[in-house]
Amino acid sequence: MQNKGLVRWTTILLILISAYYLSFTVVASIYEGRAKEYAQGDVNKEIAYLDSMAPQKVWLGSTLKSVRENQIGLGLDLKGGMNVVLELNVADVLDNLSGHSQDPTFRQALANAVAKQDQTQKDFVSLFVDEFHKLDPNARLAAVFGTLSNKESINTNSKDEEVISFLRRSVNDAIDSSHKVLRNRIDQFGVVAPNIQKLEGSNRILVELPGITEPKRVRKLLQGSANLEFWECYLGSEVGDYLVSADQVLARLHSTSDRTASTEVSEPAEETSEEVTEAVEAAADSAKSAAEALAQKIAAGADTTAVAETAETQTASKDNPLLSRLQLSRGSSAAVVAVARKADRAAIDSMLSLPQVRDVLPRDLVLRWGSKELSEGSNVFELYALKGSRRGNEPALAGDVVTSAKSEINQQQGRQDPGVSMTMNPEGTKEWARLTKENVGRPIAIVLDDVVYSAPNVLNEIPNGTSQITGHFTVDEATDLANTLKSGKMAASVRIVQEDVVGPSLGAAAIKAGVISFLVALVLLMIYMCLIYGLFPGLVVDLALLVNLFLTLGILASIHAVLTLPGIAGMVLTLGMAVDANVLVFERIKEELKKGKTMLKSIQEGYGNAFSAIIDSNVTTIMTGLILYFFGSGAIRGFATTLIIGLLISLLTAVFMTRVIFETRAEKGKMNNVTFDTPVSRHFLERTHVDFIGLRKIGLTVAVAILAIGGVMMATIGIPRGIDFTGGRNYVVKFDHNVTPAEISTLVSPALDGHVSVIRITSEDQVRISTNYKVETNTPEVDKEIETKLYESLQSQLPQGTTQDQFVEQNIQSSQKVGASVADDIKTGATIAVILSLIVMGIYILIRFKDYAFSVGAFASVTFNTCVIIAFYAILWKIMPFTMEIDMNFIAAVLAIIGYSINDTIVVFDRIREELKYHPDMERKQLFNRSLNITLTRTINTSTSTLLVVLIIFFFGGASMRSFTFAIILGIIFGTLSTLFVASPIAWMINNHNHKKSQQKLTARR
């Protein structure tokens, strides 16, 4: 083998890179463990500890905040949390763009499009335009959308094509703006490693929030309307004395509270209310928590100066409750009045909201926090002093007057300064001129969702409604702010069309199940290879598997991928499939040794002869993984990601790394006693002469019979479809005693009009309730209504005194919601993915083998394998003790099997192609049978090793993976049989027919 040094150094380099990225996960776990130990179950203390340590450099020059952001993220099914798909209401966007036109044709077309949007795959703009022209073929879109606000893009003379293009751009801009607003909100919410992404080709946004335990609060956060505002400001120098007075008031209140507690008077002091006491005590607790957190820093080797400063803060908190946490910016000519740590903000807000404190502050003073840290990693934020308008504590100007905004780069004294230019409508232009004239030399704040993004000083009056905002932005920040300004308030409402909520207890159980299944599968796979191929070859393969695992995890960490339970399954399945390459190589080496070749020569030719089949099988599986990734969603993408990465790594470890080891030892004469077999496997399937082609009629008849039975069962009984495909809601409910699905169904069915399915999940005290009750109405009100109906129906099964809130928070372990329109999209995507995979497999085989006989055989085999899995689901779903539904998990399993089963077919076809090359005149039936028997040992060993791995996942991987792995088990078994009795016989029939025709033509010419 050439370039052994390159293989060695590439492997070492990848190991070092993987170790670097995985180290962040290890360090983050250590500090999160310390936080849990310090908090003793108190979530707020745990958060306070991690916040206090966030700016500290803890590993390789990286702060704890950076370390936690670079660790391998855990998906919702492992960590618990919330997964939401939000859909932008495009009808709102079009209504806004029309200036809320009351044109009857426009209003009716809009209403018709809204009514039909869940019944078609068309985008909303196309649907609206079709309805508009259907109502009045002569109507022009420009007459509706050619408003003053849109004059820079279109006018009343614009053609329909121009208006449609403008509408599409505006919808995309609205989605971009909503995405930015949601990102800002979630960042403020404090979620670690959230995933927020636009779903291409739709008006939807995916939001994944691991670790979230307050879904109700998150729903409100995500669906609320963004609010852009322009505020006049106080200067920091004008407000400082008021805050000093507020601090003195708080100190007196604190002192009064202490005296009241020490003398145990029966009536509280006149000034001291319960609200005051709670606010002051909260501030004291905040200081105490900060001090305790920093005490932990001493043990961790933190800066002792910071520790000393915090100890002083704890002492000062009694004399200066406010100013011990708030550092004033005296003499400031800007709107910033003070700065404070993030951990102190809640306590500061609580104190400043007290009536006694508000009495000493100006009535029109509004205090708001800045959006960015003072410096990266500092966890220190600025507090801005805003001035309410004369109409009350309201902004001077609302953001909906902004018609356009764009980011641009200004050249200032040799340096580039990103900024944002904006244009307002006529009403806004007039008000902006007045506002800037009255505030020359003073700041005006730009506020979004009650957070200050910028507060630039006004240099002079701006009469034309066009102005520029600068504020030490980066290019990306300027672009984001431009998008936000351009939309003002969120351009349209959003609604939740799909939702998954997984409780932390289910996540913990999933982690345990996933780890157990993974370790058991890995150990058994390693033992199996040693039993079949000998101790040394087995150990080399085991080493390759461990390196494969390490590198896969390292790559996942480097690309910030999220590890899910299907992802773990994909990793384990990859290891099983990675063994296939070594099985193929070892069987080839054994063939060469039997021919009397030297060990070194046998190793070289064994790897060389197997390489083509290995490449073909890996490429086809990777292609299937790519299709699965692009058409899948959520956890299914995690499965596809780990599968693709694992297979790419296996080419390095199983093909190149093991070859370097074997060849190096063979060159030194240390492989002479290695036989690549054991007493267990030495004569296994040796010299078999099975007439597979002769058995083709039996094989094809059985295959057709299975499909026919499955077809009858599907036509009569059907197969249950998951809510991925039907739309609806799932609730996993846990009780404090064992229950049966039948009794729970009896209780809840009447309340939900009979639209209910109940199955057992994991244990006898836990069930999953599925319903498509009001599936067409996807609103929070309906969500609440169903929760109420479940609570009221299940009263007899709940402990006495359980409230509805307790039921929702404690008994409902997880919930899932899929809107009808999303379900249609998922069905369409799944159908396309399966059909596309089958077609791609057929085309690839045709290109590689240059004989349509093999392409047709392979296509027939994978199609049969797909159909037989569906058939068995139809036959068995009422018998098996676990849920068997057609959903995205099932589709993922089918696509995985399409990729896996084609491996075996390719290996057999590759041997047939090789035999045709060396024995072109051999009778075709004999040649096909010879190839099938030669590869039979490899076929059985590969199927057995992979089946062993998947069986472990099936039994130990948890209930949520059972249906998924059962489909793969069926696929492995029937994939092997279909190669022998479907793919090969069909390829033989076509190839033999073509061969006879060519022979007849040759004879005729002679």
Side-chain angles (χ1 to χ4, degrees):
M1 177 183 175
Q2 303 295 321
N3 300 319
K4 291 182 182 178
L6 178 63
V7 173
R8 289 194 185 99
W9 284 110
T10 300
T11 305
I12 292 171
L13 180 62
L14 286 175
I15 289 174
L16 291 175
I17 293 173
S18 297
Y20 169 75
Y21 281 106
L22 288 174
S23 68
F24 291 104
T25 301
V26 175
V27 174
S29 298
I30 291 172
Y31 279 90
E32 287 170 1
R34 290 179 183 175
K36 289 184 182 296
E37 184 179 349
Y38 159 72
Q40 295 294 310
D42 187 329
V43 177
N44 291 327
K45 282 188 175 182
E46 186 178 334
I47 294 172
Y49 177 88
L50 292 172
D51 279 347
S52 67
M53 292 297 296
Q56 298 293 323
K57 291 184 177 180
V58 297
W59 180 247
L60 301 177
S62 298
T63 63
L64 180 59
K65 179 182 178 181
S66 176
V67 166
R68 294 183 72 203
E69 288 172 348
N70 284 292
Q71 67 178 322
I72 293 181
L74 297 180
L76 305 187
D77 51 2
L78 295 179
K79 191 175 182 179
M82 193 172 185
N83 176 318
V84 171
V85 175
L86 296 161
E87 184 174 72
L88 189 78
N89 189 337
V90 181
D92 283 356
V93 179
L94 300 189
D95 189 29
N96 291 337
L97 291 172
S98 74
H100 307 290
S101 170
Q102 296 305 307
D103 177 81
T105 303
F106 168 73
R107 303 309 310 179
Q108 188 61 50
L110 202 61
N112 292 350
V114 170
K116 294 181 179 180
Q117 64 180 334
D118 290 339
Q119 305 166 16
T120 178
Q121 297 298 313
K122 278 188 177 181
D123 66 275
F124 190 88
V125 172
S126 298
L127 189 59
F128 162 75
V129 171
D130 289 347
E131 292 297 321
F132 186 79
H133 287 146
K134 189 184 300 182
L135 290 168
D136 186 350
N138 298 317
R140 296 174 57 254
L141 292 170
V144 175
F145 296 102
T147 65
L148 286 175
S149 298
N150 303 328
K151 65 181 181 180
E152 292 186 2
S153 301
I154 59 173
N155 55 52
T156 53
N157 297 317
S158 298
K159 296 179 180 179
D160 277 1
E161 292 76 14
E162 295 174 310
V163 177
I164 293 171
S165 177
F166 164 72
L167 295 179
R168 293 193 191 284
R169 289 197 309 272
S170 298
V171 169
N172 287 333
D173 288 345
I175 295 171
D176 287 340
S177 174
S178 301
H179 179 264
K180 302 300 182 186
V181 170
L182 290 171
R183 166 66 68 182
N184 292 331
R185 290 181 178 185
I186 290 165
D187 286 346
Q188 293 294 322
F189 196 74
V191 180
V192 175
N195 176 32
I196 306 151
Q197 57 180 295
K198 293 177 291 182
L199 300 180
E200 296 301 327
S202 72
N203 53 317
R204 294 174 185 153
I205 299 171
L206 170 68
V207 180
E208 294 179 323
L209 306 173
I212 284 295
T213 57
E214 302 170 287
K216 187 184 300 183
R217 182 181 170 194
V218 171
R219 291 186 196 107
K220 183 177 179 181
L221 174 83
L222 295 178
Q223 295 184 108
S225 176
N227 192 13
L228 176 69
E229 301 164 336
F230 298 92
W231 289 76
E232 294 181 279
C233 299
Y234 279 101
L235 302 181
S237 57
E238 297 172 343
V239 178
D241 289 340
Y242 291 110
L243 292 179
V244 171
S245 299
D247 186 58
Q248 292 169 353
V249 169
L250 286 163
R252 288 199 302 272
L253 294 173
H254 194 255
S255 175
T256 304
S257 178
D258 284 347
R259 288 199 307 273
T260 303
S262 63
T263 56
E264 297 183 355
V265 293
S266 57
E267 294 292 332
E270 185 177 344
E271 287 184 310
T272 308
S273 67
E274 183 179 348
E275 184 184 14
V276 172
T277 303
E278 288 178 357
V280 176
E281 287 177 352
D285 288 343
S286 173
K288 182 179 179 183
S289 295
E292 289 175 348
L294 282 175
Q296 292 287 329
K297 292 185 182 181
I298 299 176
D303 185 1
T304 55
T305 303
V307 175
E309 289 174 354
T310 303
E312 293 175 7
T313 300
Q314 184 183 7
T315 304
S317 65
K318 291 185 177 181
D319 298 331
N320 303 101
L322 180 62
L323 297 186
S324 60
R325 293 162 186 78
L326 202 61
Q327 182 179 341
L328 297 180
S329 304
R330 287 187 175 276
S332 173
S333 60
V336 177
V337 65
V339 295
R341 292 188 314 124
K342 181 180 179 181
D344 289 328
R345 282 169 40 172
I348 293 169
D349 290 340
S350 180
M351 287 186 281
L352 290 174
S353 66
L354 292 173
Q356 293 88 340
V357 173
R358 292 299 311 168
D359 286 343
V360 300
L361 298 177
R363 297 182 66 85
D364 59 354
L365 173 64
V366 177
L367 296 168
R368 291 287 182 264
W369 296 102
S371 64
K372 292 177 61 178
E373 295 172 301
L374 198 57
S375 58
E376 187 176 357
S378 67
N379 261 330
V380 174
F381 289 79
E382 295 172 314
L383 183 64
Y384 287 80
L386 312 182
K387 181 188 291 187
S389 72
R390 288 184 289 271
R391 298 183 298 274
N393 279 0
E394 296 178 1
L397 188 61
D400 54 7
V401 300
V402 175
T403 58
S404 66
K406 62 179 180 179
S407 60
E408 53 188 29
I409 305 295
N410 300 311
Q411 299 293 336
Q412 301 243 345
Q413 297 179 350
R415 64 184 180 86
Q416 293 184 333
D417 186 16
V420 177
S421 63
M422 61 181 181
T423 305
M424 298 179 177
N425 63 23
E427 180 186 350
T429 298
K430 181 179 178 180
E431 188 63 21
W432 188 241
R434 181 196 65 78
L435 191 59
T436 52
K437 181 178 180 179
E438 293 177 358
N439 286 274
V440 171
R442 297 180 64 88
I444 290 180
I446 299 161
V447 180
L448 177 69
D449 283 341
D450 291 332
V451 174
V452 180
Y453 276 71
S454 175
N457 280 349
V458 178
L459 300 180
N460 45 54
E461 178 188 353
I462 304 173
N464 57 4
T466 301
S467 54
Q468 189 176 71
I469 304 168
T470 58
H472 305 292
F473 299 121
T474 64
V475 173
D476 288 341
E477 287 169 346
T479 301
D480 291 350
L481 183 55
N483 286 334
T484 302
L485 288 173
K486 188 160 47 177
S487 67
K489 290 185 178 181
M490 193 177 285
S493 59
V494 293
R495 59 172 180 155
I496 294 175
V497 294
Q498 184 176 348
E499 174 185 293
D500 291 304
V501 179
V502 180
S505 59
L506 281 184
I511 291 176
K512 182 178 179 181
V515 170
I516 289 174
S517 67
F518 182 82
L519 293 177
V520 173
L522 183 62
V523 170
L524 288 182
L525 192 59
M526 294 169 76
I527 293 173
Y528 179 83
M529 292 304 294
C530 291
L531 283 175
I532 299 299
Y533 292 106
L535 182 61
F536 180 70
L539 289 176
V540 172
V541 173
D542 294 344
L543 175 63
L545 289 177
L546 292 174
V547 173
N548 184 314
L549 170 63
F550 187 78
L551 295 181
T552 300
L553 288 173
I555 291 174
L556 287 173
S558 69
I559 63 176
H560 299 112
V562 175
L563 190 61
T564 62
L565 199 57
I568 292 177
M571 201 176 301
V572 177
L573 184 61
T574 297
L575 295 181
M577 295 172 70
V579 169
D580 177 41
N582 289 116
V583 169
L584 187 58
V585 167
F586 290 173
E587 293 298 327
R588 286 285 194 165
I589 291 174
K590 286 162 64 176
E591 288 179 27
E592 302 303 321
L593 287 173
K594 288 177 182 178
K595 295 177 182 177
K597 296 181 181 179
T598 65
M599 177 59 72
L600 180 60
K601 188 67 174 175
S602 296
I603 291 172
Q604 291 172 342
E605 294 197 5
Y607 275 95
N609 292 334
F611 188 74
S612 175
I614 292 171
I615 290 296
D616 284 340
S617 60
N618 275 270
V619 167
T620 51
T621 308
I622 289 171
M623 288 164 66
T624 304
L626 289 171
I627 293 171
L628 185 58
Y629 181 85
F630 285 111
F631 287 94
S633 60
I636 302 307
R637 282 192 165 191
F639 171 80
T641 301
T642 53
L643 185 67
I644 293 168
I645 292 172
L647 287 174
L648 290 173
I649 292 297
S650 72
L651 290 175
L652 173 67
T653 57
V655 178
F656 297 107
M657 191 183 86
T658 57
R659 181 172 182 174
V660 168
I661 294 173
F662 286 133
E663 286 190 2
T664 301
R665 289 185 65 84
E667 289 168 355
K668 296 179 180 179
K670 296 182 179 181
M671 293 282 293
N672 294 335
N673 296 324
V674 177
T675 59
F676 287 94
D677 60 15
T678 67
V680 175
S681 62
R682 187 156 297 144
H683 301 293
F684 178 65
L685 297 177
E686 190 174 54
R687 296 189 179 90
T688 57
H689 299 284
V690 180
D691 185 6
F692 290 103
I693 302 301
L695 294 171
R696 66 187 182 280
K697 292 182 179 179
I698 297 175
L700 292 173
T701 301
V702 172
V704 171
I706 293 173
L707 295 180
I709 295 171
V712 171
M713 297 297 286
M714 287 180 65
T716 55
I717 301 176
I719 307 179
R721 292 177 297 165
I723 66 170
D724 289 352
F725 287 178
T726 63
R729 294 167 175 85
N730 280 340
Y731 300 90
V732 174
V733 184
K734 185 177 179 64
F735 300 90
D736 62 356
H737 59 280
N738 292 347
V739 296
T740 65
E743 64 181 318
I744 298 301
S745 180
T746 302
L747 291 171
V748 301
S749 289
L752 299 174
D753 297 340
H755 302 292
V756 170
S757 168
V758 182
I759 60 172
R760 177 169 284 127
I761 292 288
T762 308
S763 59
E764 293 187 0
D765 62 347
Q766 195 162 266
V767 296
R768 192 194 72 190
I769 302 171
S770 302
T771 177
N772 59 1
Y773 175 77
K774 292 190 176 181
V775 63
E776 71 286 348
T777 308
N778 196 0
T779 64
E781 290 74 24
V782 173
D783 295 340
K784 183 71 173 178
E785 178 189 348
I786 294 176
E787 288 176 356
T788 301
K789 287 181 178 292
L790 288 176
Y791 168 69
E792 292 173 349
S793 302
L794 297 172
Q795 282 286 313
S796 61
Q797 302 296 320
L798 302 174
Q800 189 173 3
T802 301
T803 65
Q804 184 169 335
D805 286 342
Q806 289 172 331
F807 168 73
V808 172
E809 294 174 6
Q810 298 172 15
N811 293 87
I812 295 182
Q813 301 290 290
S814 71
S815 62
Q816 182 184 20
K817 176 174 71 174
V818 179
S821 60
V822 175
D824 287 339
D825 291 348
I826 291 174
K827 279 189 293 187
T828 302
T831 303
I832 292 173
V834 173
I835 294 174
L836 188 60
S837 295
L838 296 174
I839 294 173
V840 166
M841 294 300 105
I843 293 174
Y844 184 83
I845 298 297
L846 179 62
I847 294 171
R848 287 291 290 139
F849 288 84
K850 298 179 176 63
D851 186 340
Y852 74 91
F854 296 109
S855 184
V856 172
F859 183 83
S861 176
V862 293
T863 302
F864 163 75
N865 211 15
T866 301
C867 294
V868 82
I869 295 173
I870 298 173
F872 265 88
Y873 263 58
I875 295 168
L876 298 175
W877 73 269
K878 282 198 170 185
I879 302 172
M880 302 303 285
F882 53 87
T883 176
M884 295 175 69
E885 297 176 331
I886 305 299
D887 56 13
M888 272 310 296
N889 282 329
F890 175 82
I891 296 299
V894 168
L895 289 172
I897 283 303
I898 289 174
Y900 173 80
S901 62
I902 202 70
N903 281 6
D904 192 38
T905 304
I906 284 175
V907 170
V908 172
F909 284 0
D910 189 70
R911 178 55 70 104
I912 292 171
R913 179 174 57 180
E914 185 177 321
E915 292 294 319
L916 285 170
K917 177 181 177 182
Y918 293 124
H919 309 288
D921 297 326
M922 183 181 289
E923 199 271 325
R924 286 295 187 264
K925 181 177 180 181
Q926 180 185 353
L927 187 145
F928 271 70
N929 275 328
R930 171 185 167 84
S931 301
L932 287 165
N933 280 279
I934 289 174
T935 57
L936 188 59
T937 303
R938 173 262 160 205
T939 298
I940 299 301
N941 281 340
T942 297
S943 298
T944 302
S945 62
T946 309
L947 187 61
L948 177 69
V949 168
V950 181
L951 283 171
I952 296 301
I953 304 173
F954 178 78
F955 287 111
F956 297 100
S960 61
M961 293 298 296
R962 207 140 284 158
S963 178
F964 175 81
T965 49
F966 184 71
I968 292 181
I969 289 170
L970 290 175
I972 292 171
I973 295 171
F974 285 97
T976 302
L977 294 175
S978 65
T979 296
L980 300 173
F981 299 107
V982 177
S984 299
I986 289 176
W988 169 78
M989 286 188 286
I990 297 174
N991 181 271
N992 188 50
H993 175 73
N994 292 339
H995 177 65
K996 286 182 178 180
K997 285 180 65 177
S998 63
Q999 289 294 325
Q1000 290 171 357
K1001 289 181 180 179
L1002 186 62
T1003 302
R1005 286 174 188 164
R1006 290 174 181 170

